Amino acid sequence: MKINGIIAEYHPFHNGHRYQLLDAKEALGADYTVVLMSGNFVQRGTLSMFDKHIRTQMALRGGADLVLELPVSISTGSAEYFATGAVTLLNGLGCIDHLCFGSESGQLHTLSEAVNILTEEPHAYREALRKELSLGASFPKARQLALLTCLPYSAKSSLQDGPNDILAMEYLKALKLTKSSMLPYTTGRKGSGYHETDICEEFASATGIRNYFSGGQASMEIPANQIPSESFAVLSDYLKQNRPLEPDAVSSMLYYQLRSLSETGYTDYLDVSEDLSNRIRKLLPSYQGFTQFCGLLKTKDLTYSRVSRSLIHILLGIRQYSVKDDSAFPGYVRVLGFRKSAAPLLSALGKQSSVTLLSKPADAGTVLSAKDFSCFEKQMFADAIYEQLLSAASGRPPRNEYTISPRITE
């Protein structure tokens, strides 16, 4: 049995995701694909526009065999935390053969060369990094420029400064750090770039699709061309009862939390430095909403994404931890959904996994360790906040996350 692993957000699941899933499955001869998916809060530091259960159904209809939840403490982390935490959990499943991911370049060899430079930090790289920082570049930009100076000419043209290439390198670093037995496989990006908002003919970006839904677009014709038909049918039904959640839905809750903690500061929370904590306290009187405040707080050295993740960590009570400490990562994953035909896969996981597979949230207190149950409770807290926001936006009663069972499809 050959099993592919994919780490994803599917925010939402679209044609490009299906292409990557099927490309990896065909190239590697995989029997099954396990997706470790972010829940209701995603890596850019914001709410998911569509809840994790509907995104699970879309993924299953689009070709995934099993969807597991990436815990919120990892799903909202920096690229390094996100990659290392997710790879650690996939390692724990014990039977994943390949880690499959997309990249702008589609060149695994080039990405691996870049990772070797970043992990070994040769003298030329360190000198180039120091120079770029002294010229005023932010650390992410300085690192990218220093990396390009050290790569062979043939590699420079293919490596791109895109989010998927950056995350791909973090996956490769995590595979090395954790001494993983999983082998990497990458699929080159097709169609629109990651940040492009225009809807192209076949492969629009998730950013473009989300942008289309922002503001409550009435027509569904254009996104229907960008999402596999079976997955789109699921999303269409969902939107009859639920409104897409915008980032600013958290504004009032976040302000209350920031104001409540203003006297003590915010450095206990993940990604919040002392400088950022002081900046939040100083600028809090000018708070008008989540996205406005993120823009107000960002600086040359603090990217918008770093700020937004930090604010979400404060809202959800996610505290500092070390990415190099395995105990920082939970020892369980929640099963969000699976195909009926995946019974052999579930059987293999049951025999080989060193992490607990949690199918029923109500069972958490009896099947999880004390450490994992504490993590689970934080997840339930985050989900309760999300459900209240979704309920308020959609005008329907909130659901109880403890009663929601895994999605099962043919």
Side-chain angles (χ1 to χ4, degrees):
M1 184 187 302
K2 293 184 179 180
I3 304 172
N4 285 347
I6 292 178
I7 300 162
E9 291 186 331
Y10 293 160
H11 185 206
F13 187 87
H14 58 66
N15 289 346
H17 295 134
R18 179 172 171 79
Y19 171 78
Q20 185 241 339
L21 192 155
L22 295 181
D23 171 71
K25 190 168 188 176
E26 180 179 351
L28 301 171
D31 300 293
Y32 298 104
T33 301
V34 175
V35 174
L36 186 57
M37 188 187 78
S38 299
N40 289 327
F41 292 84
V42 295
Q43 202 259 334
R44 61 188 51 81
T46 188
L47 298 160
S48 174
M49 183 170 271
F50 313 103
D51 76 46
K52 61 187 178 184
H53 301 294
I54 198 63
R55 286 160 40 233
T56 294
Q57 285 182 270
M58 292 177 72
L60 293 172
R61 295 288 183 89
D65 296 293
L66 171 66
V67 179
L68 306 173
E69 182 173 16
L70 186 62
V72 68
S73 59
I74 300 172
S75 73
T76 58
S78 66
E80 181 185 17
Y81 278 31
F82 182 92
T84 305
V87 167
T88 298
L89 285 173
L90 284 181
N91 287 340
L93 295 180
C95 60
I96 307 297
D97 299 293
H98 285 88
L99 174 62
C100 306
F101 48 86
S103 61
E104 279 88 7
S105 65
Q107 301 294 319
L108 188 59
H109 177 70
T110 298
L111 292 167
S112 297
E113 281 190 273
V115 167
N116 288 336
I117 293 171
L118 292 175
T119 54
E120 295 169 10
E121 295 190 344
H123 176 74
Y125 168 78
R126 286 185 276 112
E127 283 298 304
L129 180 63
R130 182 189 60 78
K131 177 183 176 182
E132 296 298 338
L133 289 171
S134 69
L135 292 174
S138 65
F139 182 79
K141 186 63 177 178
R143 186 176 76 162
Q144 181 69 14
L145 292 172
L147 177 61
L148 290 175
T149 65
C150 297
L151 282 171
Y153 178 79
S154 60
K156 292 180 184 180
S157 60
S158 59
L159 188 68
Q160 301 180 39
D161 185 17
N164 291 125
D165 268 5
I166 291 170
L167 194 53
M169 288 189 283
E170 292 297 343
Y171 289 145
L172 293 172
K173 285 170 59 180
L175 290 174
K176 292 181 67 173
L177 175 69
T178 62
K179 298 180 173 59
S180 177
S181 63
M182 292 187 295
L183 299 175
Y185 176 81
T186 190
T187 300
R189 188 181 188 94
K190 286 187 175 291
S192 299
Y194 184 91
H195 294 297
E196 288 185 33
T197 58
D198 291 339
I199 300 291
C200 67
E201 186 173 340
E202 183 179 6
F203 292 108
S205 69
T207 301
I209 294 172
R210 290 195 302 273
N211 186 66
Y212 181 83
F213 281 112
S214 293
Q217 292 278 3
S219 171
M220 303 281 279
E221 293 177 2
I222 296 178
N225 297 331
Q226 304 298 328
I227 297 173
S229 58
E230 289 191 351
S231 301
F232 184 77
V234 171
L235 179 61
S236 182
D237 286 344
Y238 172 84
L239 290 172
K240 292 175 183 176
Q241 296 184 337
N242 300 277
R243 289 184 62 84
L245 275 186
E246 303 285 355
D248 276 330
V250 302
S251 294
S252 295
M253 281 189 179
L254 176 63
Y255 180 75
Y256 174 82
Q257 183 77 329
L258 293 176
R259 179 59 70 185
S260 299
L261 299 169
S262 61
E263 289 190 12
T264 57
Y266 314 96
T267 54
D268 284 348
Y269 298 95
L270 185 60
D271 282 332
V272 184
S273 64
E274 186 171 353
D275 286 345
L276 177 55
S277 177
N278 291 337
R279 191 165 174 78
I280 292 171
R281 296 172 74 183
K282 177 182 177 181
L283 295 175
L284 191 55
S286 300
Y287 184 99
Q288 297 177 33
F290 175 71
T291 56
Q292 173 268 348
F293 201 51
C294 288
L296 194 62
L297 290 172
K298 79 179 184 68
T299 66
K300 180 185 64 122
D301 297 318
L302 285 170
T303 65
Y304 185 99
S305 293
R306 165 72 182 274
V307 170
S308 61
R309 284 196 301 268
S310 299
L311 294 179
I312 289 297
H313 294 155
I314 294 169
L315 173 68
L316 301 181
I318 299 173
R319 305 202 174 245
Q320 302 279 8
Y321 62 88
S322 171
V323 71
K324 294 182 173 62
D325 179 8
D326 284 350
S327 66
F329 303 128
Y332 83 97
V333 284
R334 180 179 173 185
V335 177
L336 292 178
F338 55 89
R339 286 174 175 265
K340 289 182 179 179
S341 59
L345 168 63
L346 293 169
S347 176
L349 289 173
K351 294 174 182 176
Q352 299 180 50
S353 177
S354 62
V355 298
T356 302
L357 299 179
L358 179 66
S359 296
K360 296 180 180 179
D363 293 341
T366 57
V367 302
L368 299 183
S369 67
K371 176 181 81 74
D372 286 343
F373 185 68
S374 176
C375 176
F376 170 80
E377 287 186 309
K378 291 182 176 65
Q379 182 71 54
M380 289 296 103
F381 175 76
D383 288 340
I385 286 180
Y386 185 92
E387 188 59 33
Q388 284 294 321
L389 296 172
L390 184 58
S391 169
S394 305
R396 60 155 180 78
R399 297 169 299 181
N400 182 349
E401 190 67 28
Y402 281 91
T403 66
I404 299 178
S405 300
R407 297 316 199 234
I408 304 173
T409 190
E410 295 294 337

